[in-house]
């Protein structure tokens, strides 16, 4: 939501707004100061439905993901082939995240969310029917392209709540999703021990996604309404995001071969050409925004993603080689740390109040804490210190993830929230490609190398944040108006 629009309740962006004006609410609760009005109750009900979507999404995925490497090897794949097949998902996510996010800005959240969930269900159903490596690889394609349920859900959350509420609501959504990620492996491990365990698990996962699609279809959409056409037009969205003037919009429309209206809004040549023309126009605007204002946010996201992935890349191996901790004990430690990460979602509200709603300052301090803990873990001489660092890292990284997501929407504006969050996922996918390579090189030096390198990257991110503070979309709009 743009800073100057807080008095209107929910953001008038592509997505959903309450059918009735909403009174001032307590941050993160969706309730009015005093008795909640009908609009606040409807908004809260919708948020709870989205939390359930996030829970079911990661619950289904986490049932299958731990079993993938074992299953592909059982199909006769060599370690090299298994590695290539495993990386195919990340490569597809790298190129599809921004496109699907931008597409959700153009066609709407409901349609894009349903398509993504159903295509993911198809992918996991094909995975359950895969009897050779080729079919296994083919089954990863639908999920690799369309598994963006969480990103679109976060963009929808940003459409629904005020800028003040957004970090807390995103933290609660991440908490609900993490609960699914904790429970999923337990159910998946139980099912895997039955006859035809992997195929049964993949079928159950596909069924969970179908259930999720039915839940989205049955959402109380009738209690909310789409934004007005004026706010949802390419002119309203692109001008607010990219700071284009009317003449610039006309030039952009002419470059696309579409006539412009007197107000500068491109006129569609036909219903089929408009969505993709809007996608391309938004992507061009996104490029200019990244180069001018969002580069700090995405560089920090990349550095911290690589830093945390380096830490997890040899976590179990490092505990075993340095302290003699077995895989079972390491698994218990991971579960305990994940549980604390879930609690971080509930602590985000008080932390933001303590920081005066300054997400950027909270992100910088959480990054300092994460980097210091990585350095302490790398240099720990005792198991107690390593365990304490591991537990606290789950808390600091959970806070940092929520803050960086909120900062992307604050700097870029939520009118293209799907595009911005999709690009953030693409940046994270780049980290998934780089982290294994850097981890292998660092482990050649020492078992402490990966977390030590992660700490160095974290401190680089702190320096970048200290020297460069990105402007919010509202600040850029004020500057453009003054000019």
């Amino acid at each position: 939501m743009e800073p100057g629009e807080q008095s209107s309740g929910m953001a008038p962006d592509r997505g959903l707004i309450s059918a009735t004006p909403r009174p001032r609410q307590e941050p993160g609760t969706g309730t009015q100061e005093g008795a909640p009005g009908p609009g606040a109750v409807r908004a809260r009900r919708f948020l709870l439905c989205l939390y359930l979507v996030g829970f079911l999404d990661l619950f289904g995925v986490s049932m299958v993901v731990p079993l993938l490497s074992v299953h592909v090897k059982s199909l006769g794949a060599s370690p090299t082939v298994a590695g290539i097949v495993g990386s195919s998902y990340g490569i597809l996510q790298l190129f599809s995240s921004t496109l699907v996010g931008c597409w959700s800005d153009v066609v709407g959240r409901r349609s894009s969310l349903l398509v993504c969930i159903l295509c993911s269900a198809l992918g996991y159903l094909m995975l359950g029917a895969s009897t050779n490596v080729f079919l296994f690889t083919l089954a990863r394609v639908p999920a690799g392209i369309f598994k963006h349920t969480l990103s679109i859900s976060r963009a929808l959350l940003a459409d629904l709540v005020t800028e003040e509420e957004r970090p807390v609501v995103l933290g609660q959504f991440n908490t609900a999703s993490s609960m699914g990620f904790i429970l999923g492996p337990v159910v998946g491990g139980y099912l895997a021990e039955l006859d035809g365990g992997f195929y049964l698990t993949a079928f159950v996962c596909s069924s969970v996604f179908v259930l999720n699609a039915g839940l989205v279809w049955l959402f109380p959409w009738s209690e909310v309404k789409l934004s007005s056409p004026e706010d949802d037009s390419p002119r309203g969205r692109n001008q607010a995001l990219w700071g284009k003037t009317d003449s610039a919009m006309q030039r952009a429309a002419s470059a696309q071969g579409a006539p412009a209206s007197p107000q500068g809004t491109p006129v569609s040549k036909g219903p089929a050409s408009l969505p993709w023309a809007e996608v391309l126009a938004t992507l061009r605007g996104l490029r200019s925004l990244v180069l001018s204002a969002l580069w700090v946010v995405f560089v920090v996201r990349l550095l911290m993603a690589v830093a945390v992935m380096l830490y997890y890349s040899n976590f179990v191996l490092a505990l075993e080689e340095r302290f003699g901790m077995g895989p079972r004990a390491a698994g218990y430690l991971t579960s305990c740390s994940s549980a604390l990460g879930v609690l971080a979602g509930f602590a985000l509200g008080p932390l933001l109040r303590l920081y005066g709603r300054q997400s950027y300052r909270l992100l910088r301090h959480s990054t300092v804490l994460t980097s210091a803990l990585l350095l302490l873990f790398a240099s720990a001489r005792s198991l107690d210190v390593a365990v304490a660092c591991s537990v606290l890292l789950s808390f600091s990284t959970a806070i940092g993830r929520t803050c960086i997501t909120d900062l992307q929407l604050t700097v870029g504006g939520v009118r293209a929230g799907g595009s911005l969050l999709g690009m953030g996922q693409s940046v994270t996918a780049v980290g998934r490609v780089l982290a294994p390579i850097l981890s292998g090189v660092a482990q050649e030096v020492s078992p402490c190398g990966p977390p030590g390198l992660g700490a160095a990257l974290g401190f680089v991110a702190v320096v970048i944040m200290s020297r460069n503070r990105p402007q919010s979309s509202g600040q850029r709009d004020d500057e453009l108006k003054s000019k």
Side-chain angles (χ1 to χ4, degrees):
M1 175 176 172
E2 304 301 331
E5 298 168 349
Q6 292 185 6
S7 60
S8 62
M10 295 188 211
D13 302 317
R14 163 73 74 173
L16 305 169
I17 59 176
S18 175
T20 58
R22 184 175 59 174
R24 187 174 181 267
Q25 299 177 356
E26 290 294 335
T29 65
T31 59
Q32 178 186 352
E33 290 182 330
V41 173
R42 287 194 291 266
R44 184 61 179 173
R45 186 189 308 169
F46 207 96
L47 293 181
L48 292 176
C49 291
L50 279 175
Y51 294 164
L52 183 57
V53 167
F55 170 82
L56 290 175
D57 183 87
L58 282 190
F59 175 75
V61 169
S62 61
M63 284 195 298
V64 173
V65 168
L67 309 175
L68 291 178
S69 59
V70 177
H71 181 67
V72 71
K73 289 181 181 178
S74 71
L75 296 177
S78 64
T80 301
V81 173
I84 294 174
V85 172
S87 64
S88 63
Y89 177 84
I91 294 173
L92 289 171
Q93 289 270 296
L94 170 63
F95 292 102
S96 66
S97 296
T98 304
L99 289 174
V100 173
C102 185
W103 177 62
S104 76
D105 290 329
V106 173
V107 303
R109 310 292 185 215
R110 183 188 188 187
S111 301
S112 57
L113 195 57
L114 281 171
V115 169
C116 286
I117 294 176
L118 290 175
C119 288
S120 299
L122 174 63
Y124 287 108
L125 183 63
M126 293 171 59
L127 198 64
S130 60
T131 55
N132 55 58
V133 177
F134 173 76
L135 291 178
F136 183 92
T137 305
L138 188 64
R140 299 299 285 157
V141 173
I145 296 175
F146 290 102
K147 177 59 185 70
H148 301 290
T149 311
L150 296 181
S151 296
I152 297 176
S153 297
R154 291 188 181 101
L156 182 52
L157 285 172
D159 292 338
L160 282 167
V161 300
T162 64
E163 186 174 357
E164 185 182 42
E165 294 175 300
R166 189 171 62 215
V168 177
V169 170
L170 288 174
Q172 293 172 351
F173 178 80
N174 291 339
T175 296
S177 304
S178 299
M179 288 294 295
F181 199 79
I182 292 173
L183 297 177
V186 177
V187 178
Y190 173 78
L191 294 175
E193 294 181 355
L194 304 177
D195 292 337
F198 177 81
Y199 302 103
L200 177 61
T201 305
F203 176 75
V204 172
C205 174
S206 178
S207 301
V208 169
F209 274 86
V210 173
L211 175 64
N212 221 0
L215 177 64
V216 172
W217 181 263
L218 295 175
F219 267 10
W221 299 97
S222 60
E223 298 181 357
V224 290
K225 67 176 182 179
L226 288 172
S227 56
S228 64
E230 180 179 354
D231 291 327
D232 201 35
S233 65
R235 177 179 182 267
R237 180 168 58 253
N238 290 340
Q239 250 185 289
L241 282 170
W242 323 128
K244 291 182 180 179
T245 62
D246 289 342
S247 58
M249 291 294 295
Q250 291 173 355
R251 288 194 299 270
S254 301
Q256 296 172 27
S261 69
Q263 289 77 22
T265 304
V267 177
S268 174
K269 287 184 175 180
S273 62
L274 178 59
W276 291 113
E278 286 194 48
V279 168
L280 294 176
T282 304
L283 288 176
R284 281 193 289 269
L286 186 63
R287 177 177 176 272
S288 64
L289 179 64
V290 169
L291 294 176
S292 63
L294 270 173
W295 72 271
V296 176
V297 179
F298 285 133
V299 167
V300 170
R301 182 177 185 125
L302 176 61
L303 290 173
M304 293 311 299
V306 174
V308 175
M309 290 174 192
L310 284 171
Y311 161 73
Y312 282 112
S313 64
N314 74 330
F315 177 69
V316 176
L317 180 62
L319 290 177
E320 182 178 1
E321 291 186 357
R322 296 170 60 190
F323 307 108
M325 178 181 286
R328 177 179 296 182
Y332 291 148
L333 177 58
T334 303
S335 298
C336 178
S337 301
S338 300
L340 185 61
V342 169
L343 295 178
F346 298 105
L348 190 59
L351 281 173
L352 281 171
R353 285 193 292 271
L354 180 64
Y355 276 79
R357 305 286 168 187
Q358 299 182 37
S359 297
Y360 189 78
R361 191 158 66 97
L362 179 57
L363 173 63
R364 186 168 67 244
H365 290 174
S366 69
T367 304
V368 171
L369 178 59
T370 299
S371 305
L373 289 171
L374 287 173
L375 182 60
L376 188 59
F377 179 84
S379 58
R381 300 293 183 181
S382 67
L383 180 60
D384 293 339
V385 174
V387 169
C389 292
S390 176
V391 171
L392 292 175
L393 271 169
S394 296
F395 183 85
S396 65
T397 54
I399 296 294
R401 281 195 302 269
T402 303
C403 288
I404 199 74
T405 301
D406 177 66
L407 197 59
Q408 286 176 220
L409 296 170
T410 300
V411 175
V414 296
R415 283 195 174 91
S419 305
L420 295 170
L421 295 179
M423 192 165 210
Q425 292 300 315
S426 296
V427 171
T428 302
V430 174
R432 292 193 187 101
V433 175
L434 295 178
I437 300 173
L438 295 176
S439 177
V441 174
Q443 287 184 70
E444 293 288 342
V445 179
S446 168
C448 305
L453 179 57
L457 294 177
F459 285 121
V460 170
V462 172
V463 172
I464 292 175
M465 282 191 288
S466 299
R467 296 175 63 89
N468 302 274
R469 182 182 178 88
Q471 291 182 326
S472 68
S473 58
Q475 290 174 325
R476 291 196 308 277
D477 289 343
D478 291 340
E479 290 184 0
L480 288 169
K481 289 176 183 178
S482 64
K483 291 179 181 178

